[in-house]
Amino acid sequence: QVQLVESGGGLVQAGGSLRLSCAASGRTISYYAMGWFRQAPGKEREFVAAINWSGGRTYYADSVKGRFAISRDNAKNAVYLQMNSLKPEDTAVYYCAADAGDVAGSKDDRHYDYWGQGTQVTVSS
């Protein structure tokens, strides 16, 4: 069993930056693909970014490409999401997720087995 805890959310002005962290415990996530998803009020959960087991391949939603960067530190059992040039439409609860069945990474939330509790990101205009 893997426990995921997100941190780093908060309130930021448009154009600002935040760095989200996801700390894993219970077992190593070194061979798991990892992803970030978000859910805004009244909307469905959507894919943000994913990273393969080694960190050598990353995937992004078109809406965040060029502004967000996903990374991982397997030695620390952690995953990160650097968010730059934030926009009000980035406001959402951000979730970290682990895919125990695949090393490659996926945009489909059905592939993910473990989820964190989420961290709120609010971007003011």
Side-chain angles (χ1 to χ4, degrees):
Q1 196 77 358
V2 175
Q3 293 78 43
L4 302 173
V5 178
E6 302 95 336
S7 61
L11 174 64
V12 63
Q13 288 189 331
S17 298
L18 283 174
R19 187 184 190 227
L20 304 184
S21 298
C22 173
S25 62
R27 64 175 61 176
T28 180
I29 59 168
S30 297
Y31 298 104
Y32 294 179
M34 299 295 294
W36 286 96
F37 293 79
R38 67 187 182 187
Q39 187 167 20
K43 295 187 177 182
E44 292 189 353
R45 185 167 59 193
E46 64 173 359
F47 168 76
V48 176
I51 189 167
N52 76 334
W53 72 277
S54 68
R57 181 161 289 187
T58 56
Y59 311 86
Y60 297 96
D62 288 343
S63 59
V64 306
K65 202 170 292 182
R67 300 188 297 122
F68 290 12
I70 187 171
S71 61
R72 67 190 299 160
D73 186 336
N74 286 341
K76 294 183 178 180
N77 226 29
V79 179
Y80 309 98
L81 185 68
Q82 178 67 43
M83 305 187 296
N84 300 325
S85 302
L86 282 161
K87 305 175 181 179
E89 50 264 43
D90 295 318
T91 294
V93 177
Y94 284 70
Y95 297 92
C96 173
D99 182 351
D102 193 1
V103 297
S106 173
K107 300 180 180 181
D108 187 343
D109 62 358
R110 294 172 297 178
H111 282 220
Y112 292 84
D113 304 287
Y114 303 103
W115 293 83
Q117 83 291 347
T119 186
Q120 176 70 46
V121 171
T122 303
V123 185
S124 62
S125 57

